Amino acid sequence: MAYSASSIFYCPNPNLISPKNGVVSSSNKLPGTKNSFFLGSKLVSKTTRITTRPEPVTLSGSYPISAESRSFDVVIVGAGIIGLTIARQFLIGSDLSVAVVDKAVPCSGATGAGQGYIWMVHKTPGSDTWELAMRSRKLWEMLAESICDQGLNPLEVLGWKKTGSLLVGRTPEELDMLRRRVKQLSEAGLRAECLCSSDLLLEEPELMVGEDSGAAFLPDDYQLDAHCTVAFIEKANRHFASEGRYAEFYNDPVTCLLRSGSSWEVEGVQTTKSTLYGKAIVVAAGSWSGSLMHDLLRDSNIQLDVPIKPRKGHLLVLENFKSLQLNHGLMEVGYVDHQTGTQFPTISASEPYDDRQALSVSMTATLDAMGNLVLGSSRQFVGFSSEVDESITNRIWKRAGEFFPKLQDFPLSCFSKSRKVRIGLRPYMLDGKPVIGSVPGLSNVFLATGHEGGGLSMALGTAEMVADMVLGNPGTIDHAPFVVQGRCC
C-alpha cells in the first residue's frame, strides 16, 4: 500500500516467519518502539495523522515535486549491505515503515565485489572498530543459528561457512608481530593459535612454507557469500511490503533533500522519479556518500565535508577451480598494513587523485561456497574508475603464486573462459573508521558509511547502531568513535 500525505503512520507488529519466506524469527525486538520513535531531541508519535503538509522545497530553494509521492518513517539512501541491513533492523525490530532508494541495484558496488570475510584475525583488540566488528560477528552468528533452527542450511542460504582464517608471516619480524597479535586476540576472548612452520604446513599443505614462516590462526572465523546474503536480506525485507511497511526504489538516483518551507528540517528526498517523505533519512551510499552529501547540501547553510574517498580494488575469481586445495581463508601480513594505509605517505582528502594512485597488492585467498578460488587483493586511489586493469590482475596472480607454487604452473591466460574480475570501490576514511551518526544541523539525517573493506563484517552492528540512534534506544556499544562531528567539517 502507498502512504499518502494524510496517512496514519502506524503499522501492526509483524508476525515473523521462517526463512523459507525470507524472514528469520527474532526475539530481539528493539525496546520502546511500539508507538513512537526518537529524532534528535523530539519524540514523534507514529500514530499522529498528518492532515496538512507545507509545500516542500529543496535545500537550495523551490523544486517541482514528482507526481508520485510516498511517505515512510525511514528513507535509506543506498542499497549495499549497510543500507539493506539497516532496513532489515528497522523492519524486524520496530513497527516503522522503510524505503530503500539507490541509483543502481544491490551488489553493484563494493558489496558485490568483496570476498565475504567475517574475519577477526586481521583486526586489533582495543581499536576503535573492534567492538563494532565483534558485535557484528555475534549478530551474524545469531542469524546463521536462527536459519539452522528453521531447518535450513546457512551455507545454502548465506554461503556461510566456518573456514577459519590464517594471517601468514614469512620473516622473523612478522612472526614476532603474529605472536603479539595472537596474545591480544586470546585475551579478547577469541580462540587463537600461533602456528609454527610445521603446524602451518599441516593446515595448508599447498602453501609455500619456509623456515621462518608461521601464522596467526583463528579456527572460528567465518565467511559468507555477499550475493546470497543480499538476496536473502532483500527477500526478508520484501515480506513487509505486503503490510505497506517496505518499498524499494532502484535505478532511481536521489537528486536533492526536501525541507519544510518554514525551517531547515529535512522532510524527505527527491529522486529522478519519485518524492519520498521520511521522518528520518539515512545516507548509506558507500563511496558516493561524500559527493552525494556535497551535492545535496551545496546551496544550504550547512557546512559538511564527508571525506570519503573511493579506494579501488580488484579480486580475481577462478570458477570451479580444482587444481588448488585450501582448507582455510588466508591473507598475508602485508594485507594489514595495506588495509590501514600505513605503507602509504600521509595524504590529505583535498589532494587530487593523480597524486594518490599508490598501488598495493597483498595475497588473500579463499574458496567460496561454490568452489571458486577467490584471490586478491589490490588497493589504489584512482577516483571512481571501475575499469579492469589487466596489469593488476596479473600482479595478483603472480603474488598468489609466490605463496602457492602450484599456481606458477598455469599462466593466467589459461583461464580466460573461467575467470572473472570483481571491481569494487571501497569507501575509505582517512582515520580508518566508518562514519555513523546524525549530521550536525540536520538532526534527522544520519550517515552510515566509510567502512572501507569491512562493510560485510561490520554491517549488522552498524544497522543496530543506526536503529538505536533513530529510535532513541541505549546503544549496545559505544558510538562515540564514529560520530560525524569533528570528522566531517
Side-chain angles (χ1 to χ4, degrees), residues 31-345:
T33 62
K34 184 176 181 181
N35 293 313
S36 57
F37 69 104
F38 186 81
L39 290 177
S41 60
K42 59 186 178 181
L43 195 63
V44 181
S45 172
K46 296 198 296 96
T47 58
T48 299
R49 181 183 294 275
I50 300 176
T51 56
T52 62
R53 180 185 293 276
E55 185 68 18
V57 297
T58 70
L59 286 177
S60 58
S62 62
Y63 193 91
I65 300 303
S66 167
E68 183 179 355
S69 175
R70 297 183 64 182
S71 294
F72 301 86
D73 293 315
V74 183
V75 176
I76 299 168
V77 182
I81 192 64
I82 300 297
L84 289 173
T85 52
I86 291 172
R88 171 184 177 271
Q89 186 71 18
F90 281 117
L91 291 169
I92 68 171
S94 75
D95 296 330
L96 304 187
S97 58
V98 182
V100 177
V101 57
D102 197 283
K103 67 182 181 63
V105 296
C107 280
S108 58
T111 296
Q115 287 179 284
Y117 297 153
I118 312 295
W119 292 2
M120 302 302 295
V121 71
H122 61 300
K123 302 186 186 301
T124 304
S127 65
D128 285 335
T129 59
W130 176 258
E131 291 300 327
L132 178 58
M134 283 290 286
R135 178 59 180 167
S136 294
R137 171 193 167 106
K138 178 62 176 177
L139 293 171
W140 280 119
E141 290 174 338
M142 291 168 61
L143 177 59
E145 289 169 4
S146 67
I147 291 173
C148 287
D149 291 343
Q150 299 293 335
L152 298 179
N153 186 350
L155 177 63
E156 297 174 358
V157 175
L158 304 176
W160 176 267
K161 60 178 182 176
K162 184 189 288 189
T163 58
S165 62
L166 290 163
L167 185 60
V168 180
R170 302 197 295 180
T171 68
E173 294 76 18
E174 290 177 345
L175 286 183
D176 286 341
M177 184 276 285
L178 291 173
R179 292 187 188 98
R180 293 192 299 271
R181 179 172 292 269
V182 165
K183 184 176 185 294
Q184 285 181 301
L185 293 168
S186 298
E187 291 173 348
L190 296 179
R191 191 157 63 104
E193 305 172 34
C194 191
L195 303 182
C196 64
S197 58
S198 58
D199 290 336
L200 177 57
L201 188 61
L202 289 175
E203 293 292 339
E204 294 292 347
E206 306 268 21
L207 184 67
M208 169 72 80
V209 176
E211 182 177 332
D212 294 324
S213 297
F217 178 38
L218 266 64
D220 297 328
D221 272 357
Y222 301 89
Q223 70 183 53
L224 50 73
D225 181 271
H227 291 265
C228 291
T229 300
V230 164
F232 171 77
I233 292 172
E234 275 195 294
K235 185 177 180 181
N237 290 351
R238 288 169 181 167
H239 165 73
F240 295 91
S242 63
E243 302 172 15
R245 292 187 54 211
Y246 180 71
E248 296 165 349
F249 300 85
Y250 294 161
N251 297 305
D252 193 6
V254 170
T255 58
C256 64
L257 296 175
L258 303 175
R259 67 173 179 86
S260 165
S262 59
S263 72
W264 286 106
E265 181 175 354
V266 174
E267 290 194 333
V269 300
Q270 181 69 48
T271 74
T272 56
K273 304 174 185 177
S274 306
T275 300
L276 304 177
Y277 293 104
K279 296 193 183 100
I281 311 298
V282 181
V283 176
S287 291
W288 289 267
S289 298
S291 56
L292 176 62
M293 290 301 296
H294 178 268
D295 291 343
L296 296 180
L297 300 174
R298 178 182 291 120
D299 297 321
S300 76
N301 63 350
I302 305 296
Q303 299 297 317
L304 184 74
D305 177 21
V306 184
I308 299 287
K309 300 298 180 184
R311 201 175 188 187
K312 183 179 180 180
H314 287 64
L315 285 180
L316 178 61
V317 182
L318 301 182
E319 297 177 323
N320 198 28
F321 192 77
K322 303 294 187 182
S323 300
L324 184 70
Q325 179 60 46
L326 297 180
N327 298 319
H328 308 287
L330 300 95
M331 64 176 64
E332 64 171 296
V333 164
Y335 179 91
V336 178
D337 292 332
H338 291 155
Q339 181 190 38
T340 58
T342 57
Q343 293 192 3
F344 300 113

Side-chain angles (χ1 to χ4, degrees), residues 29-33 36-38 89 93-94 464-476 479:
K29 187 178 189 299
L30 297 176
T33 62
S36 57
F37 69 104
F38 186 81
Q89 186 71 18
S94 75
E464 182 181 62
M465 185 180 294
V466 171
D468 284 340
M469 289 176 179
V470 173
L471 294 164
N473 293 333
T476 303
H479 69 271

